[in-house]
Amino acid sequence: MPLPFLTADRSFETAAESALPHDDPDRWRRPYRPGPWRVGAAALWLLLASFVLFGAVLTALTGSVPTAAALLVTGLLIIAGALRLLRMGVWVSRRGLRRTGFLLTRTLPWERVVSVRTVQRPVRWLGLPRTVQGQALALVRTDLPPDDTPPLLTTHTLDFLGRPMAFDRAADTVEAWAAECGRG
């Protein structure tokens, strides 16, 4: 009995990232999947949260309620941080472009986008101060000079480190959204 969903005959990567025909273009969507580094980091944070929550249960059973409450709050904060780490990235819809960071989310309507293009330039490695040569998806806005706008995506972030083809697909998809919905 053949199991086509388990074989290597078809490329599930391209099928999983293509939009479905019934998808609503007004909903916010990420044009790429979170990378393995981002998912792995979030999984480690969730593992840490499980230990902290287990410690909160054990502490509550011993009778120290204030300490158990503090551990519970710490565990819930770790879970919230892991979930926020998974939400980080670039999201697009017919209304505009949304950049979701760890603490801040900014939405830019397509009317304020002049162009979105891929450029070769030094990029930050995993968001750290160290820079390496790579590709970036540059956003040019109507209200800011191009040098003041950080790149939307780079080849050396948690989503695309070691996955250049995934970066190319994501950059092409964001560029297509900008061309279709904005002045791109």
Side-chain angles (χ1 to χ4, degrees):
M1 171 175 74
L3 299 173
F5 58 90
L6 295 178
T7 63
D9 295 348
R10 71 186 244 281
S11 174
F12 75 92
E13 184 121 359
T14 56
E17 293 196 19
S18 64
L20 297 174
H22 61 274
D23 279 347
D24 183 14
D26 289 328
R27 288 188 52 177
W28 290 102
R29 70 181 72 194
R30 186 185 347 219
Y32 57 91
R33 294 185 318 196
W37 293 98
R38 182 177 304 280
V39 173
L44 288 176
W45 279 103
L46 290 173
L47 182 66
L48 175 66
S50 70
F51 287 124
V52 171
L53 292 174
F54 185 67
V57 169
L58 291 179
T59 306
L61 291 176
T62 61
S64 179
V65 177
T67 306
L71 284 173
L72 177 68
V73 168
T74 303
L76 293 176
L77 287 175
I78 293 172
I79 291 171
L83 294 177
R84 190 63 183 181
L85 180 67
L86 288 173
R87 291 279 300 171
M88 289 174 57
V90 173
W91 297 75
V92 292
S93 82
R94 195 178 286 167
R95 291 176 276 171
L97 183 104
R98 179 174 285 175
R99 181 185 310 197
T100 304
F102 192 74
L103 297 176
L104 187 64
T105 297
R106 292 191 176 146
T107 303
L108 183 68
W110 289 117
E111 293 81 32
R112 292 177 43 199
V113 174
V114 174
S115 70
V116 178
R117 64 185 186 282
T118 305
V119 294
Q120 187 83 17
R121 67 182 226 188
V123 296
R124 294 171 63 176
W125 184 74
L126 296 177
L128 299 172
R130 177 178 178 231
T131 59
V132 295
Q133 192 63 29
Q135 290 183 341
L137 187 64
L139 171 70
V140 179
R141 299 169 50 167
T142 57
D143 56 345
L144 287 176
D147 295 336
D148 290 346
T149 307
L152 293 174
L153 307 170
T154 68
T155 53
H156 290 79
T157 60
L158 285 174
D159 290 322
F160 303 111
L161 190 63
R163 299 174 55 213
M165 291 181 64
F167 172 79
D168 292 338
R169 273 194 311 271
D172 290 344
T173 304
V174 174
E175 288 173 1
W177 272 89
E180 181 181 331
C181 298
R183 293 184 272 181

